[in-house]
């Protein structure tokens, strides 16, 4: 590997590593301040990761986080901050559940149809923000935050009993989906659980994300527009069209985020359907530096913190609050921002020194040639 490649890898890895280490150290400080052992919670959570059933839970949760983070990362690569992933995936999951409960097609048609419904719903909701930005100059940050609130209210209305809601005990649902729309998974036994089939679709989505961004003209245009709209426009790229397209694609991927659970286990949308995937996806995309492999590791890390932390409540002789994992996730966000900027500045200084050394060497070489010629 060339020296330049080594530096590039170092710069790519340094940010996430510094962020993670910083978050662990700061969380340990919080534990010490509360008079508790700063190391035992990590040992307890790592022990949980050795159990097969917890591993299945982590993988399943990570698949949802991964798709949400990919949706965020697509926006980031375009220099867009799609905070609306949370509303997009929840609205898409609800609409998919409603369609799945009322439409019955053969399985080989039903599942792609439901996935298409989710993608179109998410794309439509994100597309509103894209249109507002390109036609009225409304910041996508503001519009997507507002659309999250609207999506919550819309879901509440559409799941009323006199619309599409079905009361099940104290829970309001959209009714059980037709079995032809249930996505089969890998059953590892009653004591272990089932890996969602859409876990593998999430992996495929990551591969497609990398190929499109790095091996297609569209991906180049998207990255170029994100880096500089003026420069992209000078090369013939329609910046406004790229903004709309990026928001549509980001929303479509966001719409798929809730499907691993919806099609693989829940088979209905209800008040207990998980929320917050979109906001967690922002953390994961930042930690993974918008790279599909980095995002995968970050998704597994956050899923591990989610699924291993409940064991802290039952630790003996001293119980630890499972919110320790939440604190750690929050600290990761702060540490990511700070560490990435520090690494960027360090890399910039290294590059300036290298360029300066090369210019000095070239000047010395030219001076030597002139002396020889004289």
């Amino acid at each position: 590997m060339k020296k330049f490649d080594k530096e590039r890898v170092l710069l790519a890895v340094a940010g996430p590593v510094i962020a993670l280490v910083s978050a662990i150290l700061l969380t340990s400080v919080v534990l010490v301040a509360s008079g508790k052992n700063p190391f035992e919670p990590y040992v307890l959570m790592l022990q949980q990761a050795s159990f097969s059933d917890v591993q299945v839970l982590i993988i399943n949760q990570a698949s949802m986080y991964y798709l949400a983070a990919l949706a965020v990362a697509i926006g980031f690569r375009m220099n867009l901050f799609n905070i609306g992933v949370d509303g997009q995936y929840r609205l898409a999951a609800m609409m998919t559940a409603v369609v799945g409960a009322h439409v019955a097609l053969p399985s080989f048609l039903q599942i792609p149809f439901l996935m298409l419904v989710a993608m179109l719903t998410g794309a439509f909701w994100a597309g509103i923000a894209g249109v507002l930005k390109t036609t009225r100059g409304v910041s996508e940050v503001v519009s997507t935050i507002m659309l999250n609130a609207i999506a919550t209210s819309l879901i509440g209305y559409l799941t009323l009993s006199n619309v599409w809601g079905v009361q099940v005990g104290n829970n309001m649902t959209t009714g059980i989906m037709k079995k032809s729309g249930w996505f089969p998974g890998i059953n590892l036994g009653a004591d272990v659980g089932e890996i969602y089939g859409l876990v593998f679709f999430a992996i495929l989505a990551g591969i497609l994300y990398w190929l499109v961004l790095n091996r297609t003209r569209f991906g180049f245009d998207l990255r170029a527009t994100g880096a500089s709209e003026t420069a992209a426009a000078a090369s013939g790229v329609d910046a406004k069209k790229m903004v709309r397209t990026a928001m549509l694609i980001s929303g479509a991927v966001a719409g798929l985020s809730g499907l691993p659970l919806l099609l693989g286990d829940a088979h209905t949308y209800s008040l207990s359907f998980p929320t917050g995937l979109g906001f967690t996806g922002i953390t994961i995309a930042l930690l993974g530096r918008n790279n599909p492999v980095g995002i995968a590791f970050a998704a597994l890390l956050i899923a591990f913190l989610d699924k291993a932390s409940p064991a802290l409540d039952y630790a003996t002789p001293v119980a630890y609050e499972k919110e320790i994992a939440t604190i750690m996730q929050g600290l990761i966000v702060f540490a990511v921002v700070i560490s990435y900027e520090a690494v960027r500045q360090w890399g910039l200084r290294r590059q300036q020194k290298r360029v300066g050394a090369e210019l000095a060497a070239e000047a010395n070489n030219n001076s030597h040639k002139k002396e020889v010629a004289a």
Side-chain angles (χ1 to χ4, degrees):
M1 185 180 287
K2 296 180 181 179
K3 183 178 180 181
F4 174 75
D5 292 333
K6 287 183 179 180
E7 283 195 12
R8 187 169 62 180
V9 171
L10 178 62
L11 290 173
V13 173
V17 171
I18 293 173
L20 182 58
V21 172
S22 299
I24 292 174
L25 291 175
L26 290 172
T27 305
S28 298
V29 170
V30 173
L31 288 168
V32 171
S34 62
K36 294 187 177 180
N37 190 315
F39 305 109
E40 189 176 13
Y42 307 121
V43 174
L44 292 172
M45 287 193 290
L46 287 172
Q47 288 175 347
Q48 289 297 306
S50 64
F51 299 124
S52 299
D53 56 337
V54 177
Q55 292 170 2
V56 169
L57 292 174
I58 291 172
I59 291 172
N60 289 339
Q61 187 71 19
S63 67
M64 300 170 67
Y65 284 159
Y66 188 71
L67 290 170
L70 283 182
V72 175
I74 291 169
F76 281 162
R77 297 305 295 265
M78 183 64 193
N79 203 25
L80 296 170
F81 204 166
N82 183 10
I83 303 181
V85 169
D86 205 69
Q88 292 152 22
Y89 92 82
R90 288 187 291 112
L91 187 61
M94 188 276 296
M95 289 302 299
T96 303
V98 169
V99 173
H102 293 85
V103 177
L105 298 173
S107 184
F108 69 94
L109 292 176
Q110 181 85 340
I111 291 175
F113 175 62
L114 293 178
M115 294 177 70
L116 181 62
V117 168
M119 292 177 68
L120 290 176
T121 303
F124 169 75
W125 208 245
I128 296 174
V131 171
L132 288 174
K133 183 175 180 66
T134 55
T135 60
R136 292 293 181 266
V138 179
S139 169
E140 75 281 359
V141 175
V142 175
S143 59
T144 51
I145 288 176
M146 296 298 101
L147 285 167
N148 280 342
I150 296 172
T152 299
S153 299
L154 185 59
I155 291 170
Y157 169 73
L158 294 176
T159 52
L160 291 174
S161 56
N162 60 344
V163 186
W164 288 325
V166 177
Q167 187 82 30
V168 178
N170 294 325
N171 201 359
M172 185 62 73
T173 76
T174 54
I176 299 298
M177 299 168 63
K178 307 296 183 184
K179 286 193 174 182
S180 59
W182 296 14
F183 202 104
I186 301 177
N187 194 338
L188 300 178
D191 295 333
V192 178
E194 182 177 294
I195 296 177
Y196 299 152
L198 283 175
V199 166
F200 304 98
F201 177 82
I203 296 172
L204 177 61
I207 295 172
L208 290 175
Y209 165 83
W210 185 86
L211 289 174
V212 170
L213 279 182
N214 297 283
R215 292 294 185 268
T216 67
R217 173 60 187 270
F218 170 78
F220 174 80
D221 289 346
L222 188 146
R223 288 183 286 111
T225 307
S228 172
E229 288 190 15
T230 305
S235 63
V237 178
D238 187 340
K240 290 186 176 181
K241 180 180 178 181
M242 290 302 298
V243 168
R244 292 192 295 268
T245 303
M247 288 301 293
L248 288 171
I249 296 174
S250 178
V253 177
L256 295 169
S257 302
L259 294 197
L261 173 63
L262 180 66
L263 303 187
D265 184 20
H267 308 307
T268 187
Y269 187 91
S270 67
L271 298 176
S272 59
F273 200 83
T275 60
L277 290 182
F279 299 112
T280 305
I282 295 173
T283 301
I284 293 170
L286 287 171
L287 186 59
R289 302 202 69 172
N290 302 322
N291 180 282
V293 177
I295 291 173
F297 283 112
L300 288 169
L301 171 64
I302 301 300
F304 158 72
L305 293 175
D306 281 349
K307 298 305 179 183
S309 60
L312 298 177
D313 280 339
Y314 308 103
T316 56
V318 178
Y320 294 86
E321 293 76 10
K322 64 180 180 180
E323 284 74 19
I324 290 171
T326 306
I327 293 173
M328 191 171 178
Q329 291 180 22
L331 291 172
I332 286 175
V333 177
F334 286 106
V336 159
V337 176
I338 297 170
S339 65
Y340 281 3
E341 180 60 22
V343 170
R344 189 185 72 82
Q345 293 291 341
W346 178 76
L348 185 60
R349 288 194 296 270
R350 292 271 299 179
Q351 185 178 17
Q352 290 172 340
K353 288 181 180 179
R354 185 171 62 251
V355 171
E358 290 175 354
L359 290 175
E362 185 177 352
N364 290 334
N365 188 35
N366 291 335
S367 176
H368 177 71
K369 287 181 179 178
K370 287 180 180 180
E371 291 177 358
V372 171

